[in-house]
Each structure stands twice: as C-alpha cells, then as structure tokens.
Amino acid sequence: MRADNVIQCPGALIVGGGIAGLFTALKLSPFPALVLSASRPGASGSSAWAQGGIAASVGTDDCWQSHAADTIRAGAGLCDPHIVEIVTRDAAARIDDLVVYGAPFDRNADGSLAVGLEAAHSHARIVHVRGDQAGAEVSRVLAERARTTPSISFAEGFQAIELAMENGCVAGVFARWGIGNSTRLMLFRSHVVVLATGGIGALFAVTTNPADSTGQGLGMAARAGAAISDAEFVQFHPTAIAIGRDPAPLATEALRGAGATLIDESGRRFMPSAHPDAELAPRDVVARAIHREIANGHRVFLDCRSALGAQFADRFPTVFAACKSGGIDPATDPIPVAPAAHYHMGGIATDERARSSLPGLWGVGECASTGLHGANRLASNSLLEAVVFGARAAEDIRNIARVSAPPSPPPPIPKLTVAAVAPKALREAMSCNVGLERDEKGLLRAFETISRIERAANGEATLLNMTAAAKLVVAAALRRHESRGAHFRIDYPQALDGSARSLLTLTNALAAIGAKGASEAYPLSR
Ligand SMILES: Cc1cc2nc3c(=O)[nH]c(=O)nc-3n(C[C@H](O)[C@H](O)[C@H](O)COP(=O)(O)OP(=O)(O)OC[C@H]3O[C@@H](n4cnc5c(N)ncnc54)[C@H](O)[C@@H]3O)c2cc1C
C-alpha cells in the first residue's frame, strides 16, 4: 500500500455527516474528530429531509415519564426501559444544546419553544422549525458550527466500504474516493471509529430515504462480526406521496396531527374502524390499513382540505412544494399516498454509551439499535435518539485514554468498489417479500434473490454491505414467529408472550436459515 493511501486520524473517525455524526463531532470538541462523509455534511442523509421535528417533553404540561410511556407503548413490548428513560430524560438538555448551536426552533409569543402533536404522542412535544423544515435547518446549523470548530476536520466525498480490523479490534476504515479510473482507495486509521451512516430504506423499491441509505454502516459492522439487533423491524411511513418519484416525497405525520384525514377514492374514511385513535394510531397500524386498502383495489388520499386549506403552503412548505411538483394543490385536492420504507429500528447493537460489540466501534443515529424504539418507533424519536447517543458516545470516547492511531502496519486492502446504489432486483425483492406483510415463503424467496446478487457481486465491498444488511433483515424476520409492531407475519399473525429483542451476528443469522459458506460469501480482508 502506498503511503499516501493511509491517513492517520488524530482522534475519532466519524463516518457520516447527518445529524448523528455532526452532533457527535461537536460534543467531542475539543477532542479531535474527522468526519468522513460520502456526501455534503449538513445537506445529506435522511437528516436533511426530516420534516416533523424532534420529540422532547419541553411543553408546560408534559414530563419525561409521559414521553417514556408513549415510547414504550409504541414499541410493542420490546423497548429497553432503561434506554427509554435515558433518552426521554436527556431530551430537554439535548434540545438546549441544539439551541446553543443555533437551531432556530419555532417559538410561542412568550419566547418558549412551540411544540406540535404527532401520532401516538399523548402530549404536544415535537419541536420544529418553520413547520416542516426541522431536519434541513438543524443539519445546516450543525454543519456550519462544525466547520468553524477547530477540533473538527472533514473528508468529504469519501465512501467508507469496509472496517479495517486488527486482532479483533476496529483500527480504521477503508474508503474510496472518485469514480472510474481516478478512483482511489484510502485507509483512515483510528482506534475510535463512530459509524453514523443512517438507515437502510434505499434497499427497498419504495422508500422515503435518500439513495445512499443502503445500510453501509450496518453491513460493514456485520461483516466485521458486530452483533446486530432488531433487524427485522423496518418502519413503513404510511403517507409517502404517490406521484411516481424515487425516493417518494413524504407527507409528514404532522399533517394528521393537524387534523388531516385518510380517505379512499369515494371519500370514505377508513381509519376510525381500524383503530380507536383513527388517523393518529401508531404508524404500523396506519401503514397496514392503507396497504390493505390498496391491496383491495382502492386508492388512498390524505385529505388536508378542511384541516389546513389555504394555510397549507405556509405551514408545510416542503410538502406543498412536493405536491405541486406532482400537479397537486393540497389546499383543494386530496393528496394520493402509499406506504414506503422509512426508518430502521434495527441496527448495530449498541449499549448506553453507544458502544458496539466490537472494540473500537461506536454506532449512533439510525445505523444503531439502542433499544429505544422496540418493535416500532414513536414519531420524531429518531433525531432525539441521534443527539442523545451522539452526546453519550462523545462522553465515552473523551474518557478513553488510548486514542492515538495504531502503530502496527496497516491491514490489507479490500477489493475496490464501484456500486453505490442498491440494485433494482434487490430493492424489488425487499419491497415485495420483506415489506408490511411477510411470510416464510416470501422471505426465503427474498433470501435467494439476495444470495444470487451477492454471488454476482464478486467480492465488491459496497454491494456486500448491502446484501449483508438485507440478509440480516430477512434472517431476523424469518426467526420471529409472531406479529409485533412493524413486523407482521401473515403466517404468524399473533403476538407471542415473553418475546425478546433479536440479537444476531451475520454468521449465526446465516447458519440459522441453513445458509452454507458464510465466510466465503462475506470475505473480509483481515
Ligand atoms: C423524509 C424523512 C423524514 C423524516 N422525518 C423525521 C422527523 O421529523 N423526526 C425524526 O426524529 N426523524 C425523522 N426521520 C428519520 C430521521 O431523519 C433519521 O432517522 C435521522 O436523520 C438519521 O440520522 P443519521 O445522522 O443517523 O443518518 P443520516 O442523516 O441518514 O446521515 C447519514 C450520513 O452518512 C453518510 N454515509 C452513508 N453511508 C456512508 C458511507 N459508506 N461512507 C461515508 N458516508 C456515508 C451519508 O452521506 C450521510 O451524510 C425522517 C426520515 C426521512 C427519510
């Protein structure tokens, strides 16, 4: 390996420039951090697209216990109550941090934070920015702040493809830069690696996530042997705007919080008969109700005409622009909607300090699975989780004495990669067979398709990260013989008593479904 291919990081190496990665870097300061990101930090990932806001019990009549109870209720029996308490208690302090970093949250006339209501929250507790601009604005201010923080440096346009391992410890990250003949492979060396690479939505054909949400961090960690938890739990947003765009634009949950209703082509409301909370029922209930309406030949619309009417454009400018781009005026027309893969509750198993099972590896944000969400995420808890665990990872890392770059020779390089976007066949297999309703036959079919794509990948690391992430979702879904939260098995429609969170490594996931040759399928250049 040429010397100019190795970069020694002076401190922590953070992979991902969304809210989780940027917040971790800021909380680490003055401890040095290098933020490595495939696309522009502050304008990339799902973070920049978040519309609703961040949940925190900062309203006058609210308390963390109520927020915790709502979170646990939505999680359908699989939340870790200790983690839920940590997150809901820490929430107000993290919102204060964001305000200090410059987040321009909407305020009431008396200067207090304005809070909105979202589905399955018992109180108004979503802090937001100009209606639906929270993700874009918070991402922007964090990136601006990080760029002027001397301890933080950036490696932009680098795609991390594989963890570098030494003696069972994470020792850095291989990343590629450039395209075609000018592609270069670099090794970024650090004994402190924080993965903040976001979710897996773009492994599905219909998704609200950006194209680079292909589970790269999850796949890299899994291929290196990390434990993965709750992989089967994928949340489908009930109301992606069905105007044929990929990714599908989102009609935020806050619209239903503001009184919008779901109707079919004849104007019939179907949610009141599906759940006592009607349109404000938990996401999985609403998404499956819409899915079934569509499966029964209906078209489904979000009707905002009487709830918002002429105020729509001012209160929800992002959704308004998306509707207009599809020729819809939501003040006068119902918005066509359909469910889309939106959020992964599962991910790299992490503890209360955001540590993974691999020494030297932390996980924050959507690529991690902390136990906060259980089987179903409560709306707007994900950005909260990202900042709470960003802060906790930073505190843990600052307390670690040995963070200098490893002195031993660098590990061998992986195969150089070309793919960054998930193959169509993989996305279709996931949407058709691993979606809102699953059964064993479909899951095994998806597994076969993923295996075929993997064999054709010929050792290409980016693709192997995607297939590893996809296989973990399938394997965990196959093992869960029940329906719970976001995971619905047609062949096992009931919830089982005493069920627990899933915890898998890639090797035992494959062994569990009788796959042969896991180490051959997932070569790691160690
Ligand atoms: C449309 C939409 C609306 C949402 N609304 C809300 C909401 O209102 N409230 C809420 O709490 N949650 C919301 N969510 C979920 C929330 O936005 C995400 O869970 C959260 O932003 C994830 O943050 P993150 O920093 O972990 O990942 P991301 O923001 O996705 O950032 C990932 C980063 O990693 C980089 N990256 C990925 N792979 C690599 C690689 N291999 N090498 C280098 N860099 C890489 C990406 O370029 C990006 O910079 C929404 C999601 C979507 C899609």
Side-chain angles (χ1 to χ4, degrees), residues 243-263:
I243 48 172
R245 269 171 50 188
D246 179 25
L250 188 70
T252 171
E253 206 110 41
L255 291 163
R256 279 176 285 129
T261 55
L262 286 161
I263 56 171

Side-chain angles (χ1 to χ4, degrees), residues 94 114 154 177-178 232 301 308 420 480:
R94 299 292 78 84
F154 288 90
W177 183 83
E232 66 274 41
F301 300 85
L308 290 159
R480 188 167 288 283

